[in-house]
């Protein structure tokens, strides 16, 4: 699965944090690009010729009247899912509107292009350039899912007309002449296509639908196999980082100057721990439901007689 390169720092190539005032929070440059706050501070202290970011603007790292900002697009957590490689689009993205004219930003209309404002609000121009391709990516996955779900025989598909006598018949009673590429009734198969060794139309339809269904199923399953490891890898890395920082920060309880200070610090960390537990409680039932569902489908497949 492709990720949004525009939502990764242009220096360290790591994805931006969703929240402000963090080392990985995005920071705008005068040239219109963005890097994480950590890289910004490092690059700003370097001589111009030593920087990794070489845009040609000598004032690109000039201080601005704000410390941090969030790219508007990162607030749509349901549409953009974080992975260690970057953000993946999982559902159609709602393009933010200009706060002045209330119309969506657009890279196709000159007057609707976005600009970085001194207040820190921005929608990344590169992000808008990437959005159409990323939208096509999720549409491909969704189409594969929907095709499998809706791939059932309708009355129109079940009923056919003979290409010779045009009499309407059902697939079960028809034949297919490979030499003529005709779908024919039993009578015409015997009278006009007997030397061609026509086969039952059901056999041809079964072979065709089997190949199509297998390909569609592969697309759906492979999409999950590509996406889930990245999501879980990012989740585990996040838990590990949280553990390290949380246990380290809890050491400040030892530096409490009074019992009231100790109790306040203890309550603060207890609240963080409880919040972490609530996130896990929200996530685990969904994971268990998916795991249970897959196992039930495996059991259903075991009960189906092999070809």
């Amino acid at each position: 699965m492709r990720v949004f390169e525009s939502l990764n720092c242009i220096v360290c190539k790591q994805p931006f944090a969703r929240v402000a005032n963090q080392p990985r929070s995005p920071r705008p440059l005068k040239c219109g690009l963005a890097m994480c706050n950590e890289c910004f501070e490092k690059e700003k202290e370097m001589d111009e010729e030593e920087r990794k970011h070489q845009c040609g603007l000598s004032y690109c790292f000039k201080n601005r009247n704000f410390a941090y900002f969030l790219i508007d697009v990162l607030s749509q957590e349901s549409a953009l899912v974080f992975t260690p490689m970057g953000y993946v689009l999982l559902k159609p993205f709602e393009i933010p509107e200009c706060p002045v004219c209330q119309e969506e930003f657009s890279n196709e209309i000159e007057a609707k292009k976005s600009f970085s404002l001194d207040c820190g609000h921005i929608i990344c121009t590169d992000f808008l350039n990437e959005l159409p391709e990323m939208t096509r990516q999720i549409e491909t996955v969704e189409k594969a899912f929907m095709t499998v779900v809706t791939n059932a025989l309708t009355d129109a598909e079940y009923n056919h007309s003979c290409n010779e006598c045009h009499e309407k018949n059902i697939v079960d009673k028809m034949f297919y002449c490979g030499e003529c590429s005709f779908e024919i009734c039993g009578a015409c198969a015997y009278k006009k296509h007997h030397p061609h060794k026509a086969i039952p139309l059901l056999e041809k339809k079964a072979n065709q639908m089997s190949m199509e269904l297998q390909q569609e199923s592969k697309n759906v399953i492979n999409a999950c196999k590509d996406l889930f490891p990245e999501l879980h890898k990012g989740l585990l890395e996040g838990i590990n980082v949280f553990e390290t920082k949380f246990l380290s920060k809890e050491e400040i309880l030892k530096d409490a100057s009074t019992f009231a200070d100790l109790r306040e610090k203890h309550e603060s960390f207890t609240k963080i721990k409880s919040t972490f537990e609530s996130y896990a409680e929200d996530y685990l039932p969904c994971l268990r439901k998916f795991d249970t569902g897959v196992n039930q489908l495996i059991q259903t497949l075991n009960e189906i007689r092999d070809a």
Side-chain angles (χ1 to χ4, degrees), residues 14-58:
Q14 297 299 308
F16 292 127
R18 292 188 188 272
V19 295
N21 303 338
Q22 299 294 324
R24 304 246 19 96
S25 299
R27 193 79 176 264
L29 304 174
K30 290 289 187 178
C31 65
L33 299 176
M35 64 176 63
C36 68
N37 183 60
E38 189 172 37
C39 290
F40 181 94
E41 294 298 332
K42 291 179 181 178
E43 293 267 297
K44 186 178 67 173
E45 299 301 321
M46 297 180 182
D47 293 334
E48 187 173 343
E49 61 275 6
E50 296 177 345
R51 294 172 181 160
K52 294 181 179 179
H53 174 62
Q54 296 289 333
C55 66
L57 297 180
S58 58

Coordinates of all heavy atoms in Angstrom, one line a residue, residues 14-58:
Q14 N 10.2 10.5 8.2 CA 9.3 9.9 9.1 C 7.9 10.6 9.1 O 7.9 11.8 8.9 CB 9.8 9.9 10.5 CG 11.1 9.1 10.6 CD 10.9 7.6 10.3 OE1 10.0 7.0 10.8 NE2 11.8 7.1 9.4
P15 N 6.8 9.9 9.3 CA 5.5 10.5 9.3 C 5.3 11.5 10.5 O 5.9 11.3 11.6 CB 4.5 9.4 9.5 CG 5.3 8.2 10.1 CD 6.7 8.4 9.6
F16 N 4.6 12.6 10.2 CA 4.3 13.6 11.2 C 3.4 13.1 12.3 O 2.6 12.2 12.1 CB 3.7 14.8 10.6 CG 4.5 15.6 9.6 CD1 4.1 15.9 8.3 CD2 5.8 16.0 10.0 CE1 4.9 16.6 7.4 CE2 6.6 16.8 9.1 CZ 6.1 17.0 7.8
A17 N 3.5 13.7 13.5 CA 2.6 13.4 14.6 C 1.3 14.2 14.3 O 1.3 15.2 13.6 CB 3.2 13.9 15.9
R18 N 0.2 13.7 14.8 CA -1.1 14.3 14.6 C -1.3 15.5 15.5 O -2.1 16.4 15.2 CB -2.2 13.3 14.9 CG -2.3 12.1 14.0 CD -3.6 11.4 14.3 NE -3.7 10.1 13.5 CZ -4.3 10.1 12.3 NH1 -4.7 11.1 11.7 NH2 -4.4 8.9 11.7
V19 N -0.6 15.6 16.6 CA -0.8 16.6 17.6 C 0.3 17.6 17.6 O 1.5 17.4 17.1 CB -0.9 16.0 19.0 CG1 -2.1 15.2 19.1 CG2 0.3 15.2 19.4
A20 N 0.0 18.8 18.1 CA 1.0 19.9 18.1 C 2.0 19.8 19.3 O 1.7 19.0 20.2 CB 0.3 21.3 18.2
N21 N 3.0 20.6 19.3 CA 4.0 20.7 20.4 C 4.7 19.4 20.7 O 5.0 19.1 21.8 CB 3.3 21.2 21.6 CG 2.6 22.6 21.4 OD1 3.0 23.3 20.5 ND2 1.6 22.9 22.2
Q22 N 5.0 18.6 19.7 CA 5.7 17.3 19.8 C 6.9 17.4 18.9 O 6.9 18.1 17.9 CB 4.8 16.1 19.5 CG 3.6 16.0 20.3 CD 4.0 15.7 21.8 OE1 4.9 14.9 22.0 NE2 3.2 16.2 22.7
P23 N 8.0 16.6 19.2 CA 9.1 16.6 18.3 C 8.8 16.2 16.8 O 9.4 16.7 15.9 CB 10.0 15.5 18.9 CG 9.7 15.5 20.3 CD 8.2 15.8 20.4
R24 N 7.7 15.4 16.6 CA 7.4 14.9 15.3 C 6.3 15.8 14.7 O 5.7 15.4 13.6 CB 7.0 13.5 15.3 CG 8.0 12.6 15.9 CD 8.7 11.6 15.0 NE 8.5 11.9 13.6 CZ 9.4 12.5 12.9 NH1 10.6 12.9 13.4 NH2 9.3 12.7 11.6
S25 N 5.9 16.8 15.4 CA 4.8 17.7 14.8 C 5.3 18.4 13.6 O 6.5 18.8 13.5 CB 4.4 18.7 15.8 OG 3.8 18.1 17.0
P26 N 4.5 18.6 12.6 CA 5.0 19.3 11.3 C 5.2 20.8 11.5 O 4.6 21.4 12.3 CB 3.8 19.1 10.3 CG 2.6 18.9 11.2 CD 3.1 18.2 12.5
R27 N 6.2 21.3 10.8 CA 6.6 22.7 10.9 C 6.8 23.2 9.5 O 7.5 22.7 8.7 CB 8.0 22.7 11.7 CG 8.4 24.1 12.1 CD 7.7 24.5 13.4 NE 8.2 25.8 13.9 CZ 9.1 26.0 14.8 NH1 9.6 24.9 15.3 NH2 9.5 27.1 15.2
P28 N 6.1 24.4 9.2 CA 6.2 24.9 7.9 C 7.5 25.7 7.6 O 8.1 26.3 8.5 CB 5.0 25.9 7.8 CG 4.9 26.4 9.2 CD 5.3 25.2 10.1
L29 N 7.9 25.7 6.3 CA 9.0 26.5 5.9 C 8.5 27.6 5.0 O 7.4 27.5 4.4 CB 10.0 25.6 5.1 CG 10.5 24.3 5.9 CD1 11.4 23.5 5.0 CD2 11.3 24.7 7.1
K30 N 9.3 28.6 4.8 CA 9.0 29.7 3.9 C 8.8 29.3 2.5 O 8.1 29.9 1.7 CB 10.0 30.8 4.0 CG 10.1 31.5 5.3 CD 8.9 32.4 5.5 CE 9.0 33.3 6.7 NZ 7.9 34.2 6.9
C31 N 9.5 28.1 2.1 CA 9.4 27.7 0.7 C 8.0 26.9 0.5 O 7.7 26.5 -0.7 CB 10.5 26.8 0.4 SG 10.6 25.2 1.3
G32 N 7.3 26.7 1.5 CA 6.0 26.0 1.3 C 6.0 24.5 1.7 O 4.9 23.9 1.8
L33 N 7.2 23.9 2.0 CA 7.3 22.5 2.4 C 7.2 22.5 3.9 O 7.1 23.5 4.6 CB 8.6 21.9 1.9 CG 8.7 21.9 0.3 CD1 10.1 21.3 0.0 CD2 7.6 21.0 -0.3
A34 N 7.3 21.3 4.5 CA 7.2 21.1 5.9 C 8.2 20.0 6.4 O 8.4 19.0 5.6 CB 5.8 20.8 6.3
M35 N 8.7 20.2 7.6 CA 9.5 19.2 8.2 C 9.1 19.1 9.7 O 8.4 19.9 10.2 CB 11.0 19.5 8.1 CG 11.5 20.7 8.8 SD 13.3 20.9 8.6 CE 13.5 21.1 6.9
C36 N 9.5 18.0 10.3 CA 9.1 17.8 11.7 C 9.8 18.9 12.6 O 10.9 19.4 12.2 CB 9.4 16.4 12.2 SG 11.2 16.0 12.3
N37 N 9.3 19.2 13.7 CA 9.9 20.2 14.6 C 11.3 19.9 15.0 O 12.2 20.7 15.1 CB 9.0 20.4 15.8 CG 9.5 21.5 16.7 OD1 9.6 22.6 16.3 ND2 9.9 21.1 17.9
E38 N 11.6 18.6 15.2 CA 12.9 18.1 15.6 C 14.0 18.4 14.5 O 15.0 19.0 14.8 CB 12.9 16.6 15.9 CG 14.1 16.1 16.6 CD 14.0 14.6 17.0 OE1 13.3 13.9 16.3 OE2 14.5 14.3 18.0
C39 N 13.6 18.1 13.3 CA 14.6 18.4 12.2 C 14.7 19.9 11.9 O 15.7 20.4 11.6 CB 14.1 17.7 10.9 SG 14.3 15.8 11.0
F40 N 13.5 20.6 12.1 CA 13.5 22.0 11.9 C 14.6 22.7 12.8 O 15.4 23.6 12.4 CB 12.1 22.6 12.1 CG 12.0 24.1 11.9 CD1 11.6 24.6 10.7 CD2 12.3 24.9 13.0 CE1 11.5 25.9 10.5 CE2 12.2 26.3 12.8 CZ 11.8 26.8 11.6
E41 N 14.5 22.3 14.1 CA 15.4 23.0 15.1 C 16.9 22.6 14.8 O 17.8 23.5 14.9 CB 15.1 22.5 16.5 CG 13.7 23.0 17.0 CD 13.6 24.5 17.0 OE1 14.6 25.2 17.2 OE2 12.5 25.0 16.9
K42 N 17.1 21.4 14.3 CA 18.5 21.0 14.0 C 19.0 21.7 12.8 O 20.1 22.3 12.7 CB 18.6 19.5 13.8 CG 18.4 18.6 15.0 CD 18.4 17.2 14.7 CE 18.2 16.3 15.9 NZ 18.2 14.9 15.6
E43 N 18.2 21.7 11.7 CA 18.6 22.4 10.5 C 18.7 23.9 10.6 O 19.6 24.5 10.0 CB 17.5 22.1 9.4 CG 17.4 20.6 9.0 CD 18.3 20.3 7.8 OE1 18.0 20.9 6.7 OE2 19.2 19.5 7.9
K44 N 17.9 24.5 11.5 CA 17.9 25.9 11.6 C 19.3 26.4 12.2 O 19.8 27.5 11.9 CB 16.8 26.4 12.6 CG 16.7 27.9 12.7 CD 15.5 28.2 13.6 CE 15.7 27.8 15.0 NZ 14.7 28.3 16.0
E45 N 19.9 25.5 13.1 CA 21.2 25.9 13.7 C 22.4 25.7 12.8 O 23.5 26.1 13.1 CB 21.3 25.1 15.0 CG 20.2 25.3 16.0 CD 20.2 26.8 16.4 OE1 21.2 27.4 16.6 OE2 19.0 27.3 16.6
M46 N 22.2 25.0 11.7 CA 23.3 24.7 10.8 C 23.5 25.9 9.8 O 22.6 26.7 9.6 CB 23.0 23.5 9.9 CG 22.8 22.2 10.7 SD 22.5 20.8 9.6 CE 22.3 19.5 10.8
D47 N 24.7 25.9 9.3 CA 25.0 26.9 8.2 C 24.2 26.4 7.0 O 23.9 25.2 6.8 CB 26.5 26.9 7.9 CG 27.3 27.5 9.0 OD1 26.8 28.3 9.8 OD2 28.5 27.1 9.1
E48 N 23.9 27.4 6.1 CA 23.0 27.1 5.0 C 23.5 26.0 4.1 O 22.7 25.1 3.7 CB 22.8 28.4 4.2 CG 21.7 28.3 3.1 CD 21.4 29.6 2.4 OE1 21.8 30.6 3.0 OE2 20.9 29.5 1.3
E49 N 24.8 26.0 3.9 CA 25.4 25.0 2.9 C 25.4 23.6 3.6 O 25.6 22.6 2.9 CB 26.8 25.4 2.5 CG 27.8 25.5 3.6 CD 27.8 26.9 4.2 OE1 26.8 27.7 3.9 OE2 28.6 27.2 5.0
E50 N 25.3 23.5 4.9 CA 25.3 22.2 5.6 C 24.0 21.5 5.7 O 23.9 20.3 6.0 CB 25.9 22.4 7.0 CG 27.4 22.8 7.0 CD 27.9 23.1 8.4 OE1 27.1 23.1 9.3 OE2 29.1 23.1 8.5
R51 N 22.9 22.3 5.5 CA 21.6 21.7 5.6 C 21.2 20.7 4.6 O 21.6 20.7 3.4 CB 20.5 22.8 5.6 CG 20.6 23.8 6.7 CD 19.7 25.0 6.5 NE 19.8 26.0 7.5 CZ 19.4 27.3 7.4 NH1 18.9 27.7 6.3 NH2 19.5 28.1 8.5
K52 N 20.4 19.7 5.0 CA 19.9 18.7 4.1 C 18.8 19.3 3.2 O 18.7 18.9 2.0 CB 19.3 17.5 4.8 CG 20.4 16.7 5.6 CD 19.7 15.5 6.3 CE 20.8 14.7 7.1 NZ 20.2 13.5 7.8
H53 N 18.1 20.2 3.7 CA 17.1 20.9 2.9 C 17.7 22.1 2.2 O 18.1 23.1 2.8 CB 16.0 21.4 3.9 CG 14.9 22.3 3.1 ND1 14.1 21.7 2.1 CD2 14.6 23.6 3.3 CE1 13.3 22.7 1.7 NE2 13.6 23.8 2.3
Q54 N 17.7 21.9 0.9 CA 18.3 22.9 0.0 C 17.3 23.4 -1.0 O 17.2 22.9 -2.1 CB 19.6 22.4 -0.7 CG 20.7 22.0 0.2 CD 21.4 23.2 0.8 OE1 21.4 24.3 0.3 NE2 22.0 23.0 2.0
C55 N 16.5 24.4 -0.6 CA 15.5 25.0 -1.5 C 16.0 26.2 -2.3 O 15.3 26.7 -3.2 CB 14.2 25.3 -0.8 SG 14.4 26.6 0.4
G56 N 17.1 26.8 -1.9 CA 17.6 28.0 -2.5 C 17.1 29.3 -1.9 O 17.6 30.4 -2.3
L57 N 16.2 29.2 -0.9 CA 15.7 30.4 -0.2 C 16.5 30.6 1.0 O 16.5 29.8 1.9 CB 14.3 30.3 0.1 CG 13.3 30.1 -1.1 CD1 11.9 30.0 -0.6 CD2 13.4 31.3 -2.0
S58 N 17.2 31.8 1.1 CA 18.1 32.0 2.3 C 17.3 32.3 3.5 O 17.8 32.2 4.6 CB 19.0 33.2 2.0 OG 18.2 34.4 1.6

